[in-house]
């Protein structure tokens, strides 16, 4: 049984540590250790995580199994780089720790993210995903996201990756 809990900057160290662990699990077979460390240092340090959580447009949710964190997502209520009809919300991160893969927890988090975006009056939930992250692309496709364009380059240490922007119509998503 998992309990979803919205977090704020009082949990910055937890979110920083979870982000690092989940990112390394997701990409350790793709990037070198030094590139992973550089990316995590630049993007998931306590300072950068605190900066992210201190903006009024950001929401973060962690799912706990008992007292152990298992998954999380971060939303940012702002416009997509590709023009979308109506207000939109970016799903900046959604990560499930590997020991919790396959249990439906990712889908539960997506539903929670859709509900939060809907409460923000967003019409669409969008995200950028690495073109090398086939597992994530398949997951998003199964949950109703579709590719709408090329995303920004993602820099992981010395690696430069292409990405895609995927979008989910909130009106079409389950309530």
């Amino acid at each position: 049984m998992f309990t979803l809990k919205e977090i704020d900057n009082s949990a910055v160290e937890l979110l920083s540590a979870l982000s690092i662990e989940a990112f390394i699990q997701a990409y350790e077979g793709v990037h070198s250790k030094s590139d992973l460390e550089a990316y995590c240092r630049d993007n998931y340090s306590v300072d950068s995580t605190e900066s992210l959580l201190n903006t009024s447009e950001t929401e973060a949710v962690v799912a706990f199994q008992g007292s152990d964190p298992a998954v999380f997502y971060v939303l940012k209520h702002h416009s997509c780089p590709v023009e979308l009809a109506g207000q939109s919300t970016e799903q900046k991160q959604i990560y499930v720790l590997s020991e919790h893969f396959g249990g439906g927890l990712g889908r539960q988090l997506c539903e929670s993210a859709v509900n939060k975006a809907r409460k923000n009056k967003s019409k669409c939930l969008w995200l950028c995903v690495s073109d090398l992250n086939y597992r994530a692309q398949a997951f998003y496709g199964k949950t109703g996201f579709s590719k709408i364009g090329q995303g920004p380059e993602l820099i992981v240490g010395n690696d430069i990756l292409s990405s895609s922007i995927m979008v989910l119509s909130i009106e079409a998503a389950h309530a």
Side-chain angles (χ1 to χ4, degrees), residues 3-11 53 58-64 73 77 112 116 119:
T3 305
L4 299 181
K5 181 180 176 191
E6 191 165 339
I7 62 167
D8 58 21
N9 62 2
S10 66
L53 290 177
T58 301
E59 292 185 83
V61 172
V62 175
F64 292 87
Y73 68 85
H77 303 293
S112 174
K116 285 199 172 291
K119 286 179 186 172

mmCIF file of all heavy atoms in Angstrom, residues 3-11 53 58-64 73 77 112 116 119:
data_model
loop_
_atom_site.group_PDB
_atom_site.id
_atom_site.type_symbol
_atom_site.label_atom_id
_atom_site.label_comp_id
_atom_site.label_asym_id
_atom_site.label_seq_id
_atom_site.Cartn_x
_atom_site.Cartn_y
_atom_site.Cartn_z
ATOM 1 N N THR A 3 1.159 5.550 0.011
ATOM 2 C CA THR A 3 0.517 6.784 0.401
ATOM 3 C C THR A 3 1.184 7.927 -0.344
ATOM 4 O O THR A 3 2.406 8.089 -0.270
ATOM 5 C CB THR A 3 0.673 7.018 1.927
ATOM 6 O OG1 THR A 3 0.167 5.879 2.621
ATOM 7 C CG2 THR A 3 -0.052 8.264 2.365
ATOM 8 N N LEU A 4 0.378 8.715 -1.079
ATOM 9 C CA LEU A 4 0.904 9.863 -1.787
ATOM 10 C C LEU A 4 0.912 11.071 -0.858
ATOM 11 O O LEU A 4 -0.080 11.339 -0.178
ATOM 12 C CB LEU A 4 0.053 10.175 -3.019
ATOM 13 C CG LEU A 4 -0.038 9.096 -4.081
ATOM 14 C CD1 LEU A 4 -0.901 9.579 -5.246
ATOM 15 C CD2 LEU A 4 1.324 8.698 -4.583
ATOM 16 N N LYS A 5 2.025 11.782 -0.854
ATOM 17 C CA LYS A 5 2.154 12.948 0.015
ATOM 18 C C LYS A 5 2.784 14.094 -0.763
ATOM 19 O O LYS A 5 3.864 13.944 -1.337
ATOM 20 C CB LYS A 5 3.029 12.607 1.222
ATOM 21 C CG LYS A 5 3.203 13.747 2.187
ATOM 22 C CD LYS A 5 4.074 13.364 3.362
ATOM 23 C CE LYS A 5 4.295 14.584 4.245
ATOM 24 N NZ LYS A 5 5.325 14.351 5.235
ATOM 25 N N GLU A 6 2.086 15.224 -0.796
ATOM 26 C CA GLU A 6 2.656 16.412 -1.416
ATOM 27 C C GLU A 6 3.767 16.926 -0.504
ATOM 28 O O GLU A 6 3.609 16.948 0.723
ATOM 29 C CB GLU A 6 1.579 17.478 -1.607
ATOM 30 C CG GLU A 6 2.055 18.613 -2.463
ATOM 31 C CD GLU A 6 0.929 19.495 -2.979
ATOM 32 O OE1 GLU A 6 -0.231 19.041 -3.016
ATOM 33 O OE2 GLU A 6 1.241 20.628 -3.336
ATOM 34 N N ILE A 7 4.884 17.302 -1.115
ATOM 35 C CA ILE A 7 6.010 17.790 -0.319
ATOM 36 C C ILE A 7 6.331 19.228 -0.700
ATOM 37 O O ILE A 7 5.951 19.704 -1.766
ATOM 38 C CB ILE A 7 7.260 16.898 -0.486
ATOM 39 C CG1 ILE A 7 7.739 16.904 -1.933
ATOM 40 C CG2 ILE A 7 6.987 15.490 0.011
ATOM 41 C CD1 ILE A 7 9.123 16.319 -2.115
ATOM 42 N N ASP A 8 7.037 19.895 0.197
ATOM 43 C CA ASP A 8 7.483 21.262 -0.065
ATOM 44 C C ASP A 8 8.978 21.329 0.205
ATOM 45 O O ASP A 8 9.641 20.299 0.351
ATOM 46 C CB ASP A 8 6.693 22.263 0.780
ATOM 47 C CG ASP A 8 6.805 22.004 2.278
ATOM 48 O OD1 ASP A 8 7.777 21.339 2.721
ATOM 49 O OD2 ASP A 8 5.928 22.460 3.021
ATOM 50 N N ASN A 9 9.516 22.541 0.313
ATOM 51 C CA ASN A 9 10.969 22.666 0.456
ATOM 52 C C ASN A 9 11.502 22.151 1.798
ATOM 53 O O ASN A 9 12.704 22.042 1.961
ATOM 54 C CB ASN A 9 11.439 24.090 0.170
ATOM 55 C CG ASN A 9 10.866 25.106 1.125
ATOM 56 O OD1 ASN A 9 10.138 24.758 2.051
ATOM 57 N ND2 ASN A 9 11.174 26.370 0.890
ATOM 58 N N SER A 10 10.625 21.766 2.711
ATOM 59 C CA SER A 10 11.108 21.141 3.946
ATOM 60 C C SER A 10 11.609 19.716 3.678
ATOM 61 O O SER A 10 12.315 19.138 4.498
ATOM 62 C CB SER A 10 10.016 21.129 5.024
ATOM 63 O OG SER A 10 8.949 20.289 4.636
ATOM 64 N N ALA A 11 11.245 19.160 2.510
ATOM 65 C CA ALA A 11 11.670 17.807 2.141
ATOM 66 C C ALA A 11 12.680 17.838 0.990
ATOM 67 O O ALA A 11 12.813 16.881 0.247
ATOM 68 C CB ALA A 11 10.459 16.975 1.753
ATOM 69 N N LEU A 53 11.762 23.727 -5.902
ATOM 70 C CA LEU A 53 10.613 23.657 -4.994
ATOM 71 C C LEU A 53 10.170 25.022 -4.475
ATOM 72 O O LEU A 53 9.040 25.167 -4.017
ATOM 73 C CB LEU A 53 10.922 22.732 -3.813
ATOM 74 C CG LEU A 53 11.009 21.250 -4.142
ATOM 75 C CD1 LEU A 53 11.383 20.450 -2.904
ATOM 76 C CD2 LEU A 53 9.713 20.734 -4.743
ATOM 77 N N THR A 58 5.546 25.179 -8.969
ATOM 78 C CA THR A 58 6.005 23.795 -8.854
ATOM 79 C C THR A 58 5.264 23.054 -7.750
ATOM 80 O O THR A 58 5.037 23.580 -6.670
ATOM 81 C CB THR A 58 7.523 23.767 -8.558
ATOM 82 O OG1 THR A 58 8.208 24.428 -9.619
ATOM 83 C CG2 THR A 58 8.033 22.352 -8.449
ATOM 84 N N GLU A 59 4.896 21.800 -8.053
ATOM 85 C CA GLU A 59 4.313 20.889 -7.065
ATOM 86 C C GLU A 59 5.088 19.581 -7.132
ATOM 87 O O GLU A 59 5.460 19.133 -8.224
ATOM 88 C CB GLU A 59 2.850 20.589 -7.382
ATOM 89 C CG GLU A 59 1.910 21.753 -7.212
ATOM 90 C CD GLU A 59 0.475 21.322 -7.441
ATOM 91 O OE1 GLU A 59 -0.145 20.788 -6.488
ATOM 92 O OE2 GLU A 59 -0.014 21.498 -8.573
ATOM 93 N N ALA A 60 5.309 18.961 -5.985
ATOM 94 C CA ALA A 60 6.007 17.674 -5.935
ATOM 95 C C ALA A 60 5.241 16.722 -5.032
ATOM 96 O O ALA A 60 4.736 17.125 -3.977
ATOM 97 C CB ALA A 60 7.434 17.848 -5.438
ATOM 98 N N VAL A 61 5.181 15.464 -5.459
ATOM 99 C CA VAL A 61 4.481 14.428 -4.705
ATOM 100 C C VAL A 61 5.391 13.204 -4.613
ATOM 101 O O VAL A 61 6.012 12.813 -5.603
ATOM 102 C CB VAL A 61 3.147 14.045 -5.399
ATOM 103 C CG1 VAL A 61 2.511 12.835 -4.738
ATOM 104 C CG2 VAL A 61 2.187 15.226 -5.398
ATOM 105 N N VAL A 62 5.461 12.631 -3.419
ATOM 106 C CA VAL A 62 6.230 11.411 -3.192
ATOM 107 C C VAL A 62 5.258 10.336 -2.712
ATOM 108 O O VAL A 62 4.369 10.609 -1.901
ATOM 109 C CB VAL A 62 7.342 11.633 -2.131
ATOM 110 C CG1 VAL A 62 8.057 10.323 -1.803
ATOM 111 C CG2 VAL A 62 8.336 12.681 -2.598
ATOM 112 N N ALA A 63 5.430 9.127 -3.228
ATOM 113 C CA ALA A 63 4.644 7.981 -2.760
ATOM 114 C C ALA A 63 5.513 7.194 -1.784
ATOM 115 O O ALA A 63 6.664 6.870 -2.086
ATOM 116 C CB ALA A 63 4.221 7.098 -3.921
ATOM 117 N N PHE A 64 4.950 6.912 -0.637
ATOM 118 C CA PHE A 64 5.654 6.173 0.410
ATOM 119 C C PHE A 64 5.016 4.802 0.582
ATOM 120 O O PHE A 64 3.794 4.661 0.541
ATOM 121 C CB PHE A 64 5.566 6.914 1.742
ATOM 122 C CG PHE A 64 6.329 8.199 1.782
ATOM 123 C CD1 PHE A 64 5.753 9.390 1.362
ATOM 124 C CD2 PHE A 64 7.639 8.225 2.239
ATOM 125 C CE1 PHE A 64 6.458 10.575 1.404
ATOM 126 C CE2 PHE A 64 8.355 9.407 2.280
ATOM 127 C CZ PHE A 64 7.764 10.592 1.854
ATOM 128 N N TYR A 73 6.877 12.468 -8.351
ATOM 129 C CA TYR A 73 6.771 13.272 -9.565
ATOM 130 C C TYR A 73 6.846 14.742 -9.187
ATOM 131 O O TYR A 73 6.584 15.123 -8.047
ATOM 132 C CB TYR A 73 5.518 12.959 -10.379
ATOM 133 C CG TYR A 73 4.196 13.359 -9.770
ATOM 134 C CD1 TYR A 73 3.683 14.645 -9.928
ATOM 135 C CD2 TYR A 73 3.421 12.431 -9.078
ATOM 136 C CE1 TYR A 73 2.460 14.997 -9.386
ATOM 137 C CE2 TYR A 73 2.201 12.764 -8.542
ATOM 138 C CZ TYR A 73 1.713 14.052 -8.703
ATOM 139 O OH TYR A 73 0.500 14.391 -8.169
ATOM 140 N N HIS A 77 3.716 24.258 -13.477
ATOM 141 C CA HIS A 77 2.592 24.855 -14.185
ATOM 142 C C HIS A 77 3.111 26.015 -15.039
ATOM 143 O O HIS A 77 3.261 27.136 -14.553
ATOM 144 C CB HIS A 77 1.523 25.323 -13.201
ATOM 145 C CG HIS A 77 1.022 24.227 -12.312
ATOM 146 N ND1 HIS A 77 0.290 23.162 -12.789
ATOM 147 C CD2 HIS A 77 1.173 24.007 -10.992
ATOM 148 C CE1 HIS A 77 -0.008 22.346 -11.791
ATOM 149 N NE2 HIS A 77 0.528 22.843 -10.693
ATOM 150 N N SER A 112 -2.559 10.893 -10.553
ATOM 151 C CA SER A 112 -2.453 11.963 -9.563
ATOM 152 C C SER A 112 -1.981 13.261 -10.218
ATOM 153 O O SER A 112 -2.512 14.342 -9.944
ATOM 154 C CB SER A 112 -1.498 11.543 -8.443
ATOM 155 O OG SER A 112 -1.267 12.608 -7.552
ATOM 156 N N LYS A 116 -3.918 16.904 -10.457
ATOM 157 C CA LYS A 116 -3.331 18.170 -10.005
ATOM 158 C C LYS A 116 -3.319 19.197 -11.137
ATOM 159 O O LYS A 116 -3.603 20.370 -10.918
ATOM 160 C CB LYS A 116 -1.931 17.960 -9.453
ATOM 161 C CG LYS A 116 -1.948 17.315 -8.082
ATOM 162 C CD LYS A 116 -0.631 17.533 -7.382
ATOM 163 C CE LYS A 116 -0.721 17.064 -5.962
ATOM 164 N NZ LYS A 116 -1.587 17.885 -5.130
ATOM 165 N N LYS A 119 -6.800 20.524 -11.597
ATOM 166 C CA LYS A 119 -7.137 21.513 -10.554
ATOM 167 C C LYS A 119 -6.500 22.862 -10.857
ATOM 168 O O LYS A 119 -6.998 23.899 -10.434
ATOM 169 C CB LYS A 119 -6.693 21.016 -9.178
ATOM 170 C CG LYS A 119 -7.566 19.926 -8.630
ATOM 171 C CD LYS A 119 -7.072 19.443 -7.282
ATOM 172 C CE LYS A 119 -7.881 18.254 -6.815
ATOM 173 N NZ LYS A 119 -7.317 17.634 -5.614
#
